[in-house]
Amino acid sequence: MKLPYAWLWVSALLCSPLGFAKVADQTVSGKIANIELSVSKAMAAFQVPGIAVAIIKDNEVVLSKGFGVLKQGSKEKVNADTLFGIASNTKAMTVALLSALVDEGKLTWKTKVIDIIPAFQLPDAYVTREFTIIDLLSHNSGLGLGAGDLMIWPETTLSNQDVIKGLKYLPQVSSFRSEFAYDNLMYVIAGEIIAKLTGKPWQEVIQSRIFEPLGMDNTRATFSLIPKSNQNVARAHVLLDGELHVVGGNFLERFSSAGSVASSVNDMALWLKAQLNLGQYGVDGVKALRLFSEQKSHEMWQARTLLPVSSQASEQDKTHFYAYALGWFVKDYHGVKVVQHTGGILGMVSKVVMVPEENLAMVILTNQQSGFAFNALSQQILTEYLEQPKKDWVAHYARLQKKNNANKKAQLAKVAAAADKSSTLSLPLASYAQSYVDDWYGEIAISLENNHLVMQFANTPILHGTLGHYQHNTFIVRWDDRTLEADAYVNFNLNPNGSISYVSMKAVSWATDFSFDFHDLKLWPKSSGQ
């Protein structure tokens, strides 16, 4: 049945030298129209004020466009030059800088971290001694998911040196190199290594070695480096109880190499072209210009730490393997290899996807923290360009969001119902009001104000909240800034004599961002001298 139609198509091409171009143009325009329609639907379904998308196919930018507004309620439009926080999509750039230094012989992937940063120390002496640059980038340290992130996010007064000092006090939850656990702190250390080997701050190195060579003229290493004259900057939004709230200020300024870059889809398209071209970004006479060697490109995309494959991914995406490489996640998707990463800061999320064998790449930048939105759009783009069966991905992820929200609501209701309303405190309220110290984070103060306990993280101004009694000697701290969505249990553990031994914490909701690693804290009363 298909043969006659194929023959008519070939006949048309033979009759007109422009026939193939016309068909190709119609195909491209059809794909782009479907994608733009999905963007509009996603913005409505997930309440995202602004989105920017770029797509690269066969070394050409086939789409680079902004949609919506910089800030909810404003008239300033998002365009292809609008700056967004790309967050953890910065990590691939940090890896690229290290790759170039490996090319130059400044170090190898097997170089021990302590040979460059002698102060580097993990809980286990063997792991400390054997920890290599590859390990630094592979999320296989044996520390827990997001371990120590409270040292860097939300915005803190701590420094990279404080991060290095705190590492040895973090709990080790698995064997070295045995399991994947996403770890921002190791990429902070990676930035310190780049600074040590180049003699320049990471922010200067990325500017001179990536942004300037590629012509990423609007991109900046941190938000604070954006010129005041450039007002084309997206504002971050958090959806809370159905309403959008404008937020800002948590851009990892002090911990840049883990996720501080501000960029646009026009500039990110230049970065992705260089990635698809295996590090090459131009030709100077007969000599190709490179960020890093072709060999390093392959090494960056090589699986290092395996992750489990969900039944949903197996069925939906035909995924058989999933792993972290170096600054990138890698997996198979309907028979092709996909290289990707996401990024998230408070109120902004982003996604970058490459399909090297199809010479295809995309970047999706948003000013609202809905992963459902960027997943729907990335799936739509892959469906169009890999010619998969048509599917309404926005509707699919809208259903998942509805289910997810219902599950969160049910869990929080279960938490409230489980409290023993008849339980009482073991101590007078004033006895809980003390200064406490954690070995890796530092000081946390609990004070008594107007007959209520109030908690303040000394190094994190935004973590200020009121403790409400939950049951027995357990409270729930409810942060003043409700957009954090990170309320936590505060449990006071007592000595046999009734004094406070230590305080532990844990997020109330399973949906709390993993970077709020309250569970890694062990707070000793400062007066105990622990």
Side-chain angles (χ1 to χ4, degrees):
M1 294 297 293
K2 293 181 180 180
L3 185 58
Y5 297 101
W7 171 245
L8 289 173
W9 182 76
V10 172
S11 298
L13 296 184
L14 293 175
C15 293
S16 170
L18 300 178
F20 183 83
K22 288 179 180 177
V23 171
D25 286 345
Q26 290 170 358
T27 302
V28 170
S29 63
K31 294 181 193 299
I32 298 303
N34 290 338
I35 292 163
E36 291 190 0
L37 178 60
S38 290
V39 173
S40 298
K41 289 169 62 179
M43 291 172 66
F46 306 113
Q47 292 180 250
V48 183
I51 292 178
V53 180
I55 301 171
I56 299 91
K57 177 67 172 134
D58 298 329
N59 215 36
E60 296 293 332
V61 178
V62 295
L63 175 68
S64 188
K65 186 175 179 179
F67 305 82
V69 294
L70 301 179
K71 177 184 175 183
Q72 178 74 4
S74 74
K75 295 181 179 179
E76 289 79 15
K77 302 290 187 182
V78 172
N79 59 38
D81 289 317
T82 298
L83 293 175
F84 294 78
I86 69 168
S88 285
N89 282 303
T90 301
K91 289 181 170 66
M93 297 177 179
T94 294
V95 173
L97 294 175
L98 282 170
S99 297
L101 294 175
V102 174
D103 282 333
E104 294 167 15
K106 302 282 180 63
L107 77 167
T108 73
W109 292 132
K110 294 183 179 180
T111 296
K112 304 293 175 58
V113 173
I114 56 172
D115 289 342
I116 303 174
I117 303 180
F120 177 81
Q121 188 176 346
L122 289 167
D124 185 280
Y126 168 79
V127 178
T128 300
R129 186 175 67 249
E130 296 299 317
F131 212 78
T132 67
I133 302 300
I134 284 280
D135 297 318
L136 201 64
L137 307 175
S138 304
H139 302 301
N140 64 4
S141 66
L143 300 180
L145 176 66
D149 273 0
L150 283 169
M151 285 192 280
I152 68 172
W153 191 89
E155 186 177 12
T156 75
T157 59
L158 297 171
S159 67
N160 286 1
Q161 297 310 309
D162 292 319
V163 169
I164 294 171
K165 290 176 184 176
L167 287 174
K168 64 182 177 181
Y169 299 112
L170 290 166
Q172 189 145 350
V173 301
S174 66
S175 299
F176 179 38
R177 296 175 180 158
S178 67
E179 295 182 16
F180 173 88
Y182 197 85
D183 194 328
N184 287 300
L185 301 190
M186 296 304 157
Y187 275 79
V188 173
I189 307 299
E192 284 296 295
I193 286 176
I194 291 167
K196 285 268 188 183
L197 294 179
T198 62
K200 297 178 180 179
W202 176 90
Q203 293 89 336
E204 291 184 19
V205 179
I206 196 170
Q207 180 69 34
S208 63
R209 287 185 171 237
I210 293 182
F211 303 156
E212 290 176 4
L214 294 183
M216 298 171 69
D217 296 336
N218 290 321
T219 300
R220 294 295 183 271
T222 66
F223 269 71
S224 62
L225 294 173
I226 299 172
K228 293 289 190 287
S229 59
N230 186 356
Q231 297 297 306
N232 191 10
V233 182
R235 296 295 303 275
H237 299 77
V238 170
L239 184 64
L240 185 64
D241 297 327
E243 292 186 14
L244 283 172
H245 297 258
V246 179
V247 298
N250 292 298
F251 298 123
L252 297 177
E253 288 279 333
R254 289 184 175 85
F255 312 100
S256 304
S257 51
S260 69
V261 166
S263 191
S264 66
V265 293
N266 268 349
D267 280 6
M268 288 295 287
L270 298 169
W271 161 245
L272 291 178
K273 275 189 178 183
Q275 283 287 327
L276 289 175
N277 289 324
L278 308 180
Q280 182 175 316
Y281 64 90
V283 176
D284 180 10
V286 295
K287 182 181 179 182
L289 303 174
R290 285 191 165 276
L291 297 179
F292 44 79
S293 66
E294 183 174 336
Q295 178 64 31
K296 293 298 166 291
S297 176
H298 294 307
E299 291 169 2
M300 282 188 270
W301 295 348
Q302 181 180 328
R304 306 287 173 175
T305 307
L306 295 177
L307 286 87
V309 176
S310 68
S311 57
Q312 179 184 349
S314 296
E315 181 179 347
Q316 175 181 289
D317 300 336
K318 299 298 182 287
T319 295
H320 303 88
F321 84 91
Y322 184 34
Y324 202 83
L326 301 181
W328 297 100
F329 289 92
V330 292
K331 67 174 186 177
D332 64 324
Y333 176 93
H334 292 284
V336 295
K337 181 177 180 178
V338 169
V339 181
Q340 64 182 29
H341 212 288
T342 60
I345 49 179
L346 188 65
M348 284 191 188
V349 293
S350 57
K351 188 168 187 177
V352 171
V353 182
M354 297 185 291
V355 187
E357 61 203 88
E358 294 292 329
N359 208 8
L360 172 69
M362 71 184 83
V363 55
I364 302 162
L365 305 178
T366 80
N367 63 359
Q368 201 264 77
Q369 57 187 34
S370 173
F372 294 105
F374 68 47
N375 280 329
L377 297 179
S378 62
Q379 288 280 22
Q380 181 66 44
I381 294 167
L382 289 173
T383 295
E384 295 293 334
Y385 279 91
L386 300 183
E387 299 182 351
Q388 293 296 313
K390 302 301 180 187
K391 182 171 180 174
D392 188 338
W393 286 108
V394 172
H396 171 81
Y397 280 100
R399 288 191 295 271
L400 290 182
Q401 177 181 252
K402 184 177 180 180
K403 182 179 179 181
N404 186 67
N405 289 343
N407 288 342
K408 285 194 293 185
K409 187 176 181 180
Q411 188 244 336
L412 292 175
K414 187 176 180 180
V415 165
D420 182 353
K421 305 297 191 299
S422 64
S423 65
T424 58
L425 296 171
S426 300
L427 303 171
L429 204 58
S431 296
Y432 300 94
Q434 301 185 43
S435 288
Y436 299 86
V437 177
D438 173 80
D439 290 337
W440 60 264
Y441 174 83
E443 189 169 341
I444 295 173
I446 297 178
S447 57
L448 185 61
E449 301 176 10
N450 300 320
N451 207 37
H452 288 90
L453 293 176
V454 174
M455 175 176 275
Q456 176 66 69
F457 277 53
N459 300 313
T460 314
I462 199 172
L463 288 181
H464 179 277
T466 301
L467 274 66
H469 184 234
Y470 177 62
Q471 63 179 350
H472 308 297
N473 288 309
T474 301
F475 295 76
I476 291 178
V477 59
R478 292 180 169 85
W479 306 112
D480 296 347
D481 188 335
R482 306 306 297 153
T483 64
L484 296 176
E485 299 182 285
D487 292 349
Y489 295 113
V490 182
N491 187 55
F492 293 84
N493 298 269
L494 305 185
N495 290 311
N497 66 3
S499 63
I500 295 171
S501 174
Y502 66 92
V503 179
S504 58
M505 295 182 67
K506 180 182 178 181
V508 173
S509 172
W510 55 263
T512 298
D513 190 288
F514 67 75
S515 286
F516 289 104
D517 61 320
F518 300 121
H519 52 276
D520 289 325
L521 296 166
K522 192 167 187 178
L523 302 168
W524 305 99
K526 195 173 181 181
S527 59
S528 70
Q530 287 277 347

